Amino acid sequence: MTEESANGRLVSRRGILKTTGAATAFSLAGCQGGSAGDSNTFTIGALHPLSGDAAEMGTRFKDVVGAGVQAVNGGADLSPLAGASGEGLQGQDGATVEVLWRDHQGDSDVARTEAESLVLDEGADMLTGCFYSGSTKAVSQVAEREGVPHVCGTAIGEGLTERGLDWFWQVPPHTGIKGESMFNFASDMNAEYDAGLERVAIIHQDGTFGTEVANSMVGVIENSDEFEQAPDTISYNASSVSSLSSQIGAIRDADADIIVHAANVRDALIMLEDMKTEDYYPEMMLTPGSAYLDPSVLEESVSEYVFSGSDFSNDMYSIHPPMGEYNSYAEENSGTPFDGSNIYAWGEFFTAIAAANQADSLDPGDLQSSLNSLSLDPYVSGLPYPVEFNDKGYNTEAFSFVVQADDEKLETVWPFDQAQDDAMTYPVPSWSDR
Amino acid sequence: MNIPKTAEEARNVVDPRSIPLAYLIPAIFIGALALPYLATSYFFINTLIYVLLFVGLGQSWNIIGGYAGQISLGHAVMFATGAYTTSILFIYYGITPYLGLIVAGLVAAAVGLSLGALTFRLRYHYFSIATLAATLGIYVIFLQWDWIGGAVGLEYPIAQIGDSLSLMFDSRQTYFYVMWAFALGTTVLVYRLHTSKLGIYLKAIDIDQELAENAGISAFWYKMYAMGLSSFIAGIGGGLFAQYVLYVEPRILLTLLRNVEFVMIPVVGGLGTVLGPVVGAAIYVFTREYTRTLLGGTQTGLNWVIFGTILTLIAMYRPSGLIRRRPAIGDREERTQNSTASVRSEADDD
Amino acid sequence: MIGLAFGLVAAGLGLIWGVMDIVNFAHGEHMLIAMYVTLLASAELSVSPLLLLPVNAVLMFVVGYGTYVVIIKRTMDGPVLGQVLCTFGLLLAIRYGIIYLVGPSTRTVSNFAFDGSTVAYGVSVSHPAVLTAVVSVVTIVLLYLLLERTAIGKAIRATAQDKQAAQVLGIETDRIYAVSWGIGLAATGVAGTMIATYFPIQPNATPGVWTIASFAAVALGGLGSITGAVIGGIVIGLVQHLGATLIDPSYQQLYVYVVLIGALLYQREGILNWVTDR
């Protein structure tokens, strides 16, 4: 029944009742009995972008980690991989591992909500994630407030460990380190091949990722005598850009030797296509990875010969055989092989596993101590480098190498002694020669 | 239909069959106080907190969109301004948010007024497009603006949670009460507006701007007044949001979605009514949070599909929202006819 | 050159806007439908986008007509708010529907017969872009002819000018509205098909660009005028390019927004008169 007051305002009693009823129903639905708190389950709350711009990456993370969970719980023999030598976590009486996935949609606010829900409602023992710096910060704040470890293997922002948090650890090399690797490579190219690389154009998408990377790159260049920026850093709005030809024009006019491009998949493709249209290619296209390592970009022929700082290459298995085994396992069990992005998720998961396995118990305090004193050899964490955190929580042993895209594959080209013969193509052929 | 000529008349023209708002509002709000005790999960309380915040935000939009009829698609700008002002004052200068919130409201009001000054000459969807363009443009600017953190945003120092003047609390319940106060305050404000002279004038402008102007009501200044009020509230809401989430970045403050939320809540609940935003906020936030948790991760994007469909359906069948009010004379059919004639025909329908 | 594509899309929007005073906020998303048909057809079935031009045109016509009949019509009698919200709801539903069904990844059309570029007179030109421009021009001309020369076209213009008079003349305004939607979206579909050949398409990013650009173009060029919309489109394309080149590439999109607001404001006299005349 609806009521009507003479100047036109209707207040429906039924409407009010409906709302109250719905609210009550929802509140009861909100009863979630968390399965963690069971002493024999190790619960990880994983927060990643499963919808939105980075959804494909998030989904591949999930696939690969799913395989990881199976490896641990099912006791696949993948030594020296942490936790994969017997059913469950051997260091915790065979505790089962479960991973609760939450989609933060790239929104830090959602990330915070979901993180709190994971910890307070679901009783997660540890949090992992989150790919985006913003979400990572929000989640690590939650971790710090609630006293739960947050192991981050998928976000590479430089300042993340500078915030003085006690419950946050970062596994992969941050953008500063990556930048150094990239420019050490360029420097070696100058020394070894007389490449004459000097002027660097930095162009980035104006989101958190792009801005952070750009800031790191600028920092590296400023500290270097060999390189200088030309022109000034260019940024653009990734969501709304439709063409980068004006920006390319500016770069061309400044006579840059190297282009550093921090991008999402769509704008990476736009950049490459526009460069082709303009028939322009610098001496070297050197990227911090991310989009340029993504299969959607690699499958386009315009992406060939691009150099990237990366923790992954398709030929790394010859130098790091255990990674090859892990890759086969992951692919068999989830249908998704390793790639430039999901390898981080794999490492993130196994670092968490290693820490849990070695801890005195699954209590937060013990997990924290375990992480602080962690010292893993390469491959134990699922990554080709060791894991050992400094007192700020940063993994000082992490490094990047440089790869080049060739025929949809990434080949290691630097350090030179880790590269296969003939892996590198330099100078890069011009558009008409391809 | 008799348009009451004084505030007195407006208050007296109440159908005895309806539940007077004066009773309903306290009933709902006092009842809501019990909710934290019913909460069985953190998630539920968090959702409630958002509901209350959005009630406030919805009321903010309601003033300009529901009463004055100006469909602003750019309220996120004032929201973001409030959030940034509060956080910058606190993080950079250590000024307590209790003060910061007020400053935030004022700054947001200033922004809103400037926006209004610029765009109020436009009407109907032209106004909407302009506000939309403004918010997208400002999004781009904020992303580039290093002082406010640019794309990376600003983080609150969580070490200071619980400090007496920091407006950051450990306990969710305290946040609940803060938001509750915000929701109550704004609802009472709208209630007063509803029955006040200002409210009547705004409605008149909504119904037929020319007629109102001819009757001596300066549309521009009243719209500005409404905008100022609305922006002030949005700014405070933004500040409260920042104090709860403890992190500000353009991405969570200025997207298309935030703008849509401002609009959707009063619309779904009932445009131009006092309790509309309350209902709308409850429905929207609950649906959003629970569909995301239940569906998210597996069914990418499905929750937005549902929203979009709901929005379209509401627009099709009940454009004024669930709590209905009489269709305004601003409707399409009437607009093409002589406005006096339509007033007469409306009166005949009584 | 991209301006012409903007022009075409804007023309589609302008038609709907001019005839029935409805701003289709979901314009970009409708275009997305055509784009995705193109993408999927060329990827899975290896159908050339050129073949899809007529297919998409017809498809989008049906979609437009259908959208009007099923959805928009009901909002016509209600407040303007209803229309705004309606198209907004469509924006969300279509965009995320596509994401749900097909995934959020960026896609391109590969192996387009006309891939590649040439350098002419010192300016490099990409083939698909030229082709798009050609198709756009052809379509625009067709649209123009349709409106000026055919009976339906005249009916549409009559309805746009004065709905009541048109009704008196026996024109079924309702059907005209539906047809306008159909044609408007068909134009957009054609544009979308061609654009998909050389732009990577991403469901979150792509629609926004085109919707705003077409709004700006129509606002600039004047409502209800095809030529106006086209000119507006070209101007917008130029603004984007010049703004980025001359001022600061980082603010590229901002220029379009500024132009849009400016155009709306400057036009206000025209808008108000036009609204009250109706």
Side-chain angles (χ1 to χ4, degrees), chain B residues 61-75:
Chain B
W61 197 87
N62 200 12
I63 295 178
I64 191 84
Y67 285 92
Q70 306 298 312
I71 301 161
S72 155
L73 290 178
H75 257 57

Side-chain angles (χ1 to χ4, degrees), chain B residues 258-317:
Chain B
R258 272 277 120 75
N259 280 302
V260 174
E261 284 176 340
F262 265 97
V263 176
M264 254 185 42
I265 285 167
V267 167
V268 166
L271 204 54
T273 66
V274 177
L275 286 175
V278 177
V279 173
I283 294 180
Y284 172 70
V285 176
F286 270 101
T287 313
R288 178 186 83 172
E289 296 291 310
Y290 282 90
T291 52
R292 188 192 63 236
T293 303
L294 296 176
L295 292 179
T298 40
Q299 316 282 18
T300 311
L302 189 56
N303 54 333
W304 296 129
V305 178
I306 295 179
F307 266 126
T309 323
I310 292 179
L311 199 58
T312 311
L313 287 174
I314 289 184
M316 277 163 67
Y317 294 108

Side-chain angles (χ1 to χ4, degrees), chain A residues 51-56 206 233-247 250 265-267 269-270 273-274 276-279 296 300, chain C residues 2 6 104-106 108-110 116-119 124-126 198-202 204-206 209-210 240-242 244-245 249-253 257:
Chain A
S51 61
D53 291 350
E56 311 162 275
D206 60 10
T233 316
I234 300 176
S235 72
Y236 58 85
N237 184 273
S239 323
S240 52
V241 75
S242 51
S243 156
L244 287 168
S245 32
S246 337
Q247 290 84 346
V265 170
R266 192 182 79 104
D267 30 300
L269 286 173
I270 292 180
E273 294 282 349
D274 282 349
K276 185 171 175 192
T277 309
E278 305 284 332
D279 197 21
S296 329
E300 300 294 328
Chain C
I2 195 177
F6 280 153
S105 39
T106 307
T108 54
V109 167
S110 29
S117 58
T118 38
V119 181
S124 96
V125 156
S126 97
Y198 68 101
F199 265 122
I201 309 292
Q202 211 268 359
N204 274 310
T206 310
V209 179
W210 292 95
Q240 253 194 354
H241 186 86
L242 290 176
T245 319
S250 305
Y251 290 94
Q252 189 178 41
Q253 288 317 106
Y257 299 142

Side-chain angles (χ1 to χ4, degrees), chain C residues 9-104:
Chain C
V9 177
L13 179 77
L15 191 61
I16 298 175
W17 192 339
V19 171
M20 22 199 271
D21 202 21
I22 287 192
V23 179
N24 181 11
F25 280 93
H27 207 63
E29 275 70 17
H30 284 113
M31 194 167 78
L32 206 59
I33 297 179
M35 286 171 164
Y36 266 86
V37 170
T38 315
L39 287 172
L40 292 172
S42 84
E44 307 288 328
L45 304 172
S46 299
V47 177
S48 163
L50 288 177
L51 284 181
L52 287 170
L53 276 176
V55 172
N56 270 332
V58 172
L59 175 69
M60 293 313 294
F61 182 85
V62 171
V63 171
Y65 199 98
T67 308
Y68 177 76
V69 169
V70 174
I71 300 179
I72 309 287
K73 191 154 81 159
R74 286 176 221 266
T75 65
M76 291 295 287
D77 294 335
V80 180
L81 175 66
Q83 290 133 31
V84 173
L85 288 179
C86 195
T87 51
F88 233 91
L90 282 177
L91 186 161
L92 291 177
I94 296 179
R95 184 193 289 199
Y96 288 98
I98 290 184
I99 291 182
Y100 175 60
L101 290 173
V102 178

Side-chain angles (χ1 to χ4, degrees), chain A residues 201-239:
Chain A
I202 299 181
I203 174 172
H204 68 95
Q205 50 101 286
D206 60 10
T208 319
F209 162 67
T211 316
E212 281 184 325
V213 168
N215 290 341
S216 296
M217 299 294 146
V218 170
V220 170
I221 294 179
E222 275 175 6
N223 288 337
S224 136
D225 302 319
E226 215 174 325
F227 301 104
E228 59 169 2
Q229 257 192 288
D232 285 333
T233 316
I234 300 176
S235 72
Y236 58 85
N237 184 273
S239 323

Side-chain angles (χ1 to χ4, degrees), chain A residues 90-165:
Chain A
Q90 296 306 306
Q92 301 290 340
D93 288 330
T96 329
V97 175
E98 76 169 331
V99 178
L100 299 173
W101 288 93
R102 289 289 184 270
D103 173 16
H104 59 60
Q105 303 176 330
D107 184 328
S108 331
D109 180 34
V110 173
R112 185 197 58 86
T113 305
E114 295 291 0
E116 288 187 335
S117 173
L118 281 171
V119 171
L120 296 172
D121 291 333
E122 307 281 350
D125 298 306
M126 201 183 269
L127 294 172
T128 59
C130 318
F131 187 68
Y132 286 117
S133 275
S135 311
T136 306
K137 287 187 191 175
V139 171
S140 58
Q141 279 186 327
V142 173
E144 191 79 6
R145 287 172 75 169
E146 306 298 333
V148 168
H150 176 195
V151 172
C152 171
T154 42
I156 55 172
E158 185 169 357
L160 289 175
T161 45
E162 295 297 318
R163 299 177 295 146
L165 298 178

